[in-house]
Amino acid sequence: MVIRRRRTASAIGATAVSAAVLLAGLAGGANGGGGAASSPPSPATAAHRQAASEPPAPAPATPAQPPATTAPPGASGAAAPMGAFLGSGPEALRRMTEFQQWLGGPTLRVGHTYLPGDLWSNIEGRPEFLRPWTEWRRADPARLLVLNVPMLERNEAGVPDHEVRALLRRGANGAFDRHFRTLARRLVRLGAPDTVIVLGWEMNGVTYTGRCAPDPPAWRAYWRRVVTAMRAVPGQRLRFDFAPSRGEDAIGWTACYPGDDVVDILGMDSYDQPPGEDFADYVNQPYGLRHQVEFASAHGKPISYPEWGLFRNGDNPAFVREMLEWMAAHPPAYQTITDYCPHGVWECGRSPRSTEVFRRELAAAAAGRNTARPGTPSASPTDRPTAAISPSHGPDPDPDPDGR
């Protein structure tokens, strides 16, 4: 079982971004590209009749190098929007400016936040919560708003499997459609109809109530129901990101894949933690980074990294460098680093060597020097972690002091 991160229901931690190349692409500066990584699906094409296919078998441990992910239509190779999760509330927008100044090069063009999953009224997206983010999005057409949306209320309340199973089946039958229609209407009304929705993230794990393992067919049917309800709202141009955590966790994530017609982006949350001993394991393990790229290519989807960062191996500059190199070799539609402790490289202050690598690599790329090496990155024998976090490490501190 994967050791999971914990979040509070009111201020959930994570990341997101959009583009064609992370490192090489940043060389084009802040104004290339555009915030949307691909043309959003037309509401008129919501023919949701495709049944979820049988999940493919896990990728072999040492397959051939996967093809580089094709840049989505409309994305420019001249710039790669990037972001960092810096809090759920409006204070994060101020921190984004400070983080960008600290980086000294790349422009943060992705805003990423999480809807609280405690109550349906919050999952519907209260206007006072959404408004600062949608105003930020509207201020620059090159920006992208990424919103993680829980599939069920009491999302972190430890709801048992039998109850999750019943809730998923109710959702698949339309019991919760109205909540998601409300959210879609609010996003349209607030001027962010092209928001990327990371729906039911890390569904292959055990942390969240909206998880897949208790009933995969019901989960897939429920996802399809939610997407259909939101796409039916006039004026929406939403895109939906299917974003498991890396590795098998409680269930192989391909068993949860709901169908190509209701997924726009194939994401993955990837932290420096088990399963896997080093970055080569993270790439080659079943349901790992290579499997994601190959699966996305086979299904014609761009990839993303809504969450990534340090964790169990402490200050590990090799992981940071190799994750950046992986994204340069396999360009994501968007990516954001999680920057609260213990995952981050800016505010946390626990990982000075990783911080140096992150800032240096991105600054070099923004200056026009492609620092990524070709091929699949492998773990460096030199830059090993200096301080591992104990597996008994407790819940992450609330990254959002305002409780938003």
Side-chain angles (χ1 to χ4, degrees), residues 78-167:
M82 66 169 296
F85 178 77
L86 300 165
S88 294
E91 78 290 338
L93 300 174
R94 171 185 54 79
R95 292 174 188 160
M96 284 177 63
T97 300
E98 296 171 357
F99 184 78
Q100 181 174 302
Q101 292 171 345
W102 170 80
L103 273 179
T107 299
L108 299 183
R109 291 196 278 132
V110 176
H112 187 191
T113 190
Y114 290 68
L115 291 177
D118 51 348
L119 301 170
W120 280 118
S121 59
N122 286 323
I123 296 174
E124 290 175 349
R126 293 182 181 276
E128 61 269 27
F129 181 96
L130 292 173
R131 188 170 290 109
W133 293 96
T134 56
E135 289 175 350
W136 175 88
R137 165 66 186 90
R138 294 199 315 272
D140 186 340
R143 289 173 175 171
L144 176 69
L145 177 60
V146 176
L147 181 65
N148 277 50
V149 177
M151 292 178 75
L152 292 167
E153 66 177 351
R154 297 184 294 150
N155 195 42
E156 296 180 66
V159 177
D161 281 356
H162 72 273
E163 190 172 347
V164 168
R165 189 176 303 113
L167 289 167

Side-chain angles (χ1 to χ4, degrees), residues 41-43 45-46 48 184 226-234 236 238-240 260-264:
S42 168
T45 62
H48 308 305
V226 171
V227 172
T228 300
M230 296 185 76
R231 283 181 175 171
V233 170
Q236 68 79 34
L238 303 168
R239 284 174 292 157
F240 294 86
D260 290 345
D261 59 326
V262 289
V263 172
D264 299 296

